[in-house]
Amino acid sequence: MRLVPVMRRCSCGLVIVGAALSSTRGFAQTPPAPPPLGTTNAAPAPARDDLEARVARLEKAAASKSDGPLPVTVSGYVHMDWIVFRQTSQDEVTQDGQPLNENRFVLRRARLRAERDHGLFHGAFEIDANTIDGPQLRPINAEASFKWPADRPYARTPWAYDPSSTRGSVDGPVQMPRSLSSTGEPWFMVTAGLFRTPFGFEVPESERARPWLERSTMSNAMFPQSFDLGVRVLGGYRFLRYAFGIVNGAPIGERTFPGRDPNESKDLVFRVGGATAITEAIRVEGGVSGVSGRGFHRGQPATKDLIQWQDSNADGVIDNTTELQVIPGSPATPSESFKRFAVGADLRATITLPMLGDLHLRAEVVRGSNIDRGLFVSDPVVATRDLRQLGYYIGASQEITRWALVGVRYDRYDPDADAREQEPFTLVPRDTSMSTWSFSAAGRTRIARLIAQYDHRQNALGRDASGRPTTLADDSFTLRAEVHF
Amino acid sequence: MRAGTLVVLLALFVAGVLLGACGRTRADEGRDAKLHVEGGHFFREPMPADESGPKVLSATVAARTRAGSVEQACAGDLERAATSVAVALAGDVGYWIVPAGIPLASAPSAPTFEVVFGVTADIAPGRHDLVLRAVDSAGHFGPAVVRPLDVAAPERPHGRLVISLRWHNEADLDLHVVLPSGIELFKRNRTEYERPPPSAGPVPPDAPTDGGVLDRDSNAMCVPDGQRAENAVWSEAPPSGRYVVRVDTFSLCGAPSADWRVEAFLDGARIGEARGTSTEVDTRFDHNRGAGVLALELDVP
């Protein structure tokens, strides 16, 4: 809701109402006697002064309101999921008491965002509520930006268009120009705060814009929940797009120190690419990205000696000679940091098909080392070797008129390309990769979407009767209701 | 026509994906099985009848265990072709698979196995058969090796009235029993007898000085004693009336929760039973007289 036009309209309206009131009052009174010839048709001097003072007062009040702290742009959306079935779901709890049932209603995210774009400056604050691990309310995006030139709008990443055809921004309702080659990006914009990590295409992509329910496994593992704290510079000139950032390296979805930074080293992240319209109907965007920094291995505090009892003969009585075992204490071990990095490339094309709508094609590949922070957290100190990751996805979505959209995506992620497993006589390579086919279909209106998605997952988390790794069945079917405003 | 072709292709693809989903393993914690194997993968089905696979060459297991015990060990070696070992209690709802390990230097051609298991607290006391079968890389099961496993019944003190509290881990739980007279038996008041105050005058020589007794404070201050049980025992006729039994969670001693079970026996016959789970919330209250959550109310004639 843009408040400035409203205020202006209000002030104009007040002036008109004031004039109308004065006019009405003139009609309501007994018509005065016709003035004598040679005199002007004007109100008496005291009444006119009163009206002029009143109008001036109203105009001043309206002007003072428009110069106040408002206006801000308020937007938001709600993602309400019904996981109709998930094969790994069990009516059980984990060892630490967390439920294993996944067949449930869950508020995946409810976001409320306020922002102001004012000349050289832009500020935004967004909160997120969800019930994924119980009710949670947290800040998810808070940033202050300086941009130049001042008349260019705030640069949103990624720069391409919302495939769900919201035809606007991906984070707010600010409209963006249609042509990719003249997006009106600021030449540069410096941002400090909690923002989307500028890596690749999918990591900074808005959740309300994605044709599929969630990011690919690769992005969730390497950049869990994508928001990180730091400083970022981004911008564009003609077809060129760039972004550089210095961040903590602990995104808010990280599993060890989310939103914090356990070491003094900061991560450097960048993306350089381009976006252009080849023809009126074909638009292409691509880029390369990288991140480099240092991860953290948590040291252990000192432990005391322990006595452990194992009731070997099951008589319920401690046998001092055979059933007591001393576990010696250990001194504290220091924390360590380790090097990690990732490089990636992304490519995206949008082809407008007559009658149907836009066909969006996307692909991205990332190669990393010790960069898994959300799924199988990389700790090369424990593993005594670097853990190499490789992930990619390809996806296509097709608009079916303005009312529907279908999409299919295949993603694959290997958290440890060098994994080995000891079999009785040999040490054999182990494929730890996991892949997902995602089929989605969405019906949509201007402010709402209803999405159905089936995910078919392959992994190496189960074991067959021979003891070898095999897929643990984990397919799921989910319905999502989305409303944005 | 093109759209129709696309739909058919898409349907065939989805059907292929769904067919590909067959034959995969299912997530199953196997919590309702009588046998639990650490790190094993549970299969909710009987072992196959075919015995064309490799054999279990040797298997060693402690012949005696106790209901509710954990960290029992079973180890041995297998024929060369084996890649895993299947373990189950005869008659259980499924079996567990544990990958085979590297051979010992003394038998370099025989894969080894080591199974750490436990049995549930509600398993019937008596003899059970632990079944072990080697499995090869093609999933062929070998002949079964059966080892007897004597599960000892939880020992219960003898008495006219016995109220028992048992739990399954090293947590420090406390039994509280409120007698019809209002006296509360718990760890700081172990006997029903309460010395009369001096103002009450001389005590008659024939006045009872015994009655209900709490036998122990198990795992007191998180020092494990292996009992994980507390009993209130009346060796003679208990007072008639209503008894209130509560369970106080003094500390979970690092465990996330503790499953407990309260039973009451009068002249050997069970007259009441209750089960529950203590969580961190239960530790936050006072642990003195009147503490604990209500487990059972009994009317003793």
Side-chain angles (χ1 to χ4, degrees):
Chain A
M1 177 177 165
R2 302 283 289 178
L3 296 183
V4 170
V6 172
M7 292 302 173
R8 286 179 181 157
R9 279 199 297 272
C10 286
S11 63
C12 293
L14 287 171
V15 172
I16 293 168
V17 167
L21 281 174
S22 65
S23 160
T24 305
R25 190 167 63 175
F27 280 114
Q29 290 172 346
T30 305
L37 289 176
T39 61
T40 56
N41 187 14
R48 189 180 62 190
D49 293 344
D50 182 44
L51 279 175
E52 285 177 350
R54 218 172 131 193
V55 169
R57 198 166 54 246
L58 289 171
E59 284 182 337
K60 187 178 177 184
S64 66
K65 283 182 182 173
S66 66
D67 289 339
L70 296 176
V72 295
T73 302
V74 178
S75 61
Y77 61 95
V78 172
H79 282 170
M80 186 68 204
D81 287 3
W82 178 17
I83 304 170
V84 181
F85 91 95
R86 183 158 186 169
Q87 286 179 302
T88 50
S89 181
Q90 298 177 65
D91 291 353
E92 272 297 349
V93 293
T94 61
Q95 286 292 328
D96 57 353
Q98 298 302 312
L100 288 170
N101 175 49
E102 286 293 336
N103 298 338
R104 58 174 177 153
F105 293 97
V106 57
L107 176 62
R108 185 64 62 179
R109 53 184 71 88
R111 301 271 173 87
L112 186 63
R113 178 183 179 87
E115 62 183 318
R116 185 180 186 191
D117 193 348
H118 189 83
L120 291 171
F121 302 99
H122 175 273
F125 178 61
E126 184 172 343
I127 57 173
D128 170 68
N130 65 69
T131 63
I132 297 168
D133 292 320
Q136 183 185 30
L137 182 67
R138 58 178 179 169
I140 197 164
N141 182 199
E143 56 183 63
S145 303
F146 170 82
K147 59 190 173 65
W148 190 80
D151 58 345
R152 302 280 177 109
Y154 170 74
R156 297 169 193 282
T157 54
W159 294 276
Y161 288 93
D162 180 358
S164 63
S165 88
T166 52
R167 295 291 186 233
S169 72
V170 292
D171 276 331
V174 181
Q175 294 297 308
M176 293 178 71
R178 176 72 173 156
S179 168
L180 275 170
S181 56
S182 59
T183 55
E185 295 292 326
W187 292 353
F188 75 86
M189 183 176 80
V190 184
T191 300
L194 176 63
F195 49 76
R196 295 176 188 276
T197 308
F199 184 97
F201 173 75
E202 197 183 44
V203 172
E205 184 182 27
S206 171
E207 287 82 1
R208 62 182 266 188
R210 202 170 35 235
W212 298 279
L213 297 183
E214 300 300 330
R215 292 185 178 83
S216 63
T217 310
M218 167 188 80
S219 299
N220 283 331
M222 296 183 183
F223 299 91
Q225 300 184 20
S226 85
F227 287 90
D228 203 348
L229 285 150
V231 179
R232 178 188 66 188
V233 179
L234 64 81
Y237 181 72
R238 300 179 68 86
F239 66 90
L240 181 68
R241 304 289 181 268
Y242 68 88
F244 298 92
I246 304 173
V247 293
N248 277 341
I252 58 171
E254 205 224 16
R255 288 177 58 185
T256 50
F257 297 97
R260 303 177 66 182
D261 193 359
N263 59 13
E264 63 181 7
S265 171
K266 300 292 170 275
D267 284 13
L268 304 177
V269 58
F270 76 91
R271 179 183 185 271
V272 177
T276 186
I278 297 175
T279 68
E280 185 65 25
I282 301 176
R283 302 180 297 279
V284 178
E285 181 188 21
V288 293
S289 307
V291 61
S292 177
R294 297 193 75 80
F296 184 75
H297 163 76
R298 188 198 303 253
Q300 296 296 324
T303 60
K304 296 179 178 179
D305 294 347
L306 287 176
I307 293 179
Q308 187 179 50
W309 170 60
Q310 184 165 6
D311 191 10
S312 303
N313 54 8
D315 62 354
V317 177
I318 295 174
D319 182 346
N320 290 339
T321 57
T322 59
E323 295 181 346
L324 289 183
Q325 182 182 4
V326 176
I327 301 174
S330 59
T333 59
S335 299
E336 296 180 47
S337 63
F338 55 85
K339 184 168 174 52
R340 65 185 178 199
F341 74 90
V343 292
D346 61 275
L347 185 63
R348 190 162 174 244
T350 304
I351 304 167
T352 303
L353 302 179
M355 305 297 290
L356 280 178
D358 286 350
L359 167 66
H360 296 273
L361 306 171
R362 58 168 72 186
E364 191 168 347
V365 61
V366 179
R367 167 80 170 78
S369 177
N370 304 326
I371 197 69
D372 191 327
R373 294 172 286 187
L375 199 58
F376 301 98
V377 179
S378 300
D379 191 338
V381 178
V382 173
T384 66
R385 60 182 172 83
D386 286 333
L387 300 162
R388 298 187 304 140
Q389 291 84 32
L390 176 65
Y392 64 88
Y393 69 80
I394 52 175
S397 62
Q398 172 66 59
E399 292 179 342
I400 312 292
T401 73
R402 59 185 296 189
W403 303 108
L405 181 144
V406 294
V408 59
R409 182 183 67 189
Y410 175 77
D411 76 79
R412 190 176 183 86
Y413 173 63
D414 188 350
D416 183 5
D418 304 310
R420 299 283 186 271
E421 179 159 299
Q422 178 68 55
E423 291 197 344
F425 301 102
T426 52
L427 186 66
V428 297
R430 180 179 179 184
D431 182 8
T432 56
S433 61
M434 48 194 67
S435 61
T436 307
W437 279 100
S438 299
F439 306 94
S440 72
R444 56 188 181 170
T445 67
R446 194 171 60 84
I447 62 165
R449 285 196 297 174
L450 179 63
I451 307 173
Q453 179 166 314
Y454 186 86
D455 291 306
H456 173 67
R457 297 183 178 90
Q458 296 278 349
N459 54 49
L461 303 176
R463 288 197 181 269
D464 61 14
S466 69
R468 299 251 167 82
T470 188
T471 290
L472 187 70
D474 193 19
D475 288 7
S476 64
F477 179 69
T478 307
L479 294 173
R480 167 174 292 173
E482 173 189 305
V483 171
H484 48 266
F485 49 90
Chain B
M1 184 63 186
R2 283 181 189 168
T5 307
L6 278 175
V7 169
V8 169
L9 286 175
L10 186 61
L12 287 173
F13 180 75
V14 172
V17 167
L18 293 178
L19 282 175
C22 299
R24 305 189 298 169
T25 60
R26 298 272 177 175
D28 193 336
E29 297 285 307
R31 297 275 173 84
D32 55 336
K34 301 296 182 192
L35 184 78
H36 292 171
V37 173
E38 253 183 55
H41 191 87
F42 185 71
F43 288 77
R44 189 172 293 276
E45 60 192 22
M47 291 189 198
D50 178 40
E51 296 187 341
S52 59
K55 296 176 183 173
V56 175
L57 298 178
S58 69
T60 306
V61 59
R64 179 183 165 83
T65 188
R66 184 164 43 89
S69 67
V70 294
E71 295 189 354
Q72 301 295 304
C74 172
D77 50 12
L78 313 165
E79 274 192 344
R80 184 181 177 88
T83 55
S84 69
V85 63
V87 190
L89 280 182
D92 209 349
V93 295
Y95 62 89
W96 300 81
I97 288 288
V98 178
I102 56 177
L104 297 174
S106 55
S109 63
T112 57
F113 69 91
E114 185 169 353
V115 177
V116 178
F117 68 91
V119 291
T120 56
D122 58 352
I123 191 172
R127 176 181 162 148
H128 293 263
D129 289 331
L130 186 70
V131 180
L132 299 120
R133 295 176 70 178
V135 187
D136 65 15
S137 58
H140 297 130
F141 283 60
V145 167
V146 178
R147 293 285 180 269
L149 192 66
D150 284 325
V151 178
E155 291 186 8
R156 195 174 61 241
H158 298 288
R160 294 288 307 277
L161 174 65
V162 179
I163 299 175
S164 298
L165 165 67
R166 297 181 183 279
W167 61 98
H168 77 296
N169 59 11
E170 305 296 349
D172 181 3
L173 306 189
D174 293 318
L175 176 67
H176 289 235
V177 180
V178 181
L179 277 58
S181 60
I183 294 172
E184 184 165 345
L185 291 185
F186 69 113
K187 63 184 179 185
R188 292 171 189 161
N189 182 37
R190 297 275 188 95
T191 66
E192 180 182 344
Y193 173 73
E194 288 188 349
R195 184 186 297 275
S199 59
V203 179
D206 57 345
T209 56
D210 56 358
V213 175
L214 182 69
D215 61 353
R216 69 175 76 91
D217 179 10
S218 182
N219 286 353
M221 304 302 288
C222 293
V223 177
D225 58 10
Q227 303 297 320
R228 302 171 185 174
E230 295 179 6
N231 304 283
V233 182
W234 284 259
S235 54
E236 296 179 348
S240 299
R242 169 153 291 202
Y243 289 68
V244 178
V245 184
R246 293 196 305 269
V247 176
D248 179 34
T249 307
F250 185 81
S251 172
L252 291 173
C253 307
S257 63
D259 295 331
W260 50 259
R261 180 180 183 181
V262 168
E263 293 175 289
F265 299 88
L266 182 62
D267 294 328
R270 181 183 291 156
I271 58 172
E273 180 187 8
R275 295 168 188 258
T277 300
S278 293
T279 62
E280 190 63 34
V281 176
D282 297 309
T283 65
R284 297 177 187 170
F285 303 102
D286 181 40
H287 303 290
N288 217 320
R289 194 183 303 271
V293 296
L294 178 65
L296 207 56
E297 288 186 316
L298 304 167
D299 287 317
V300 174

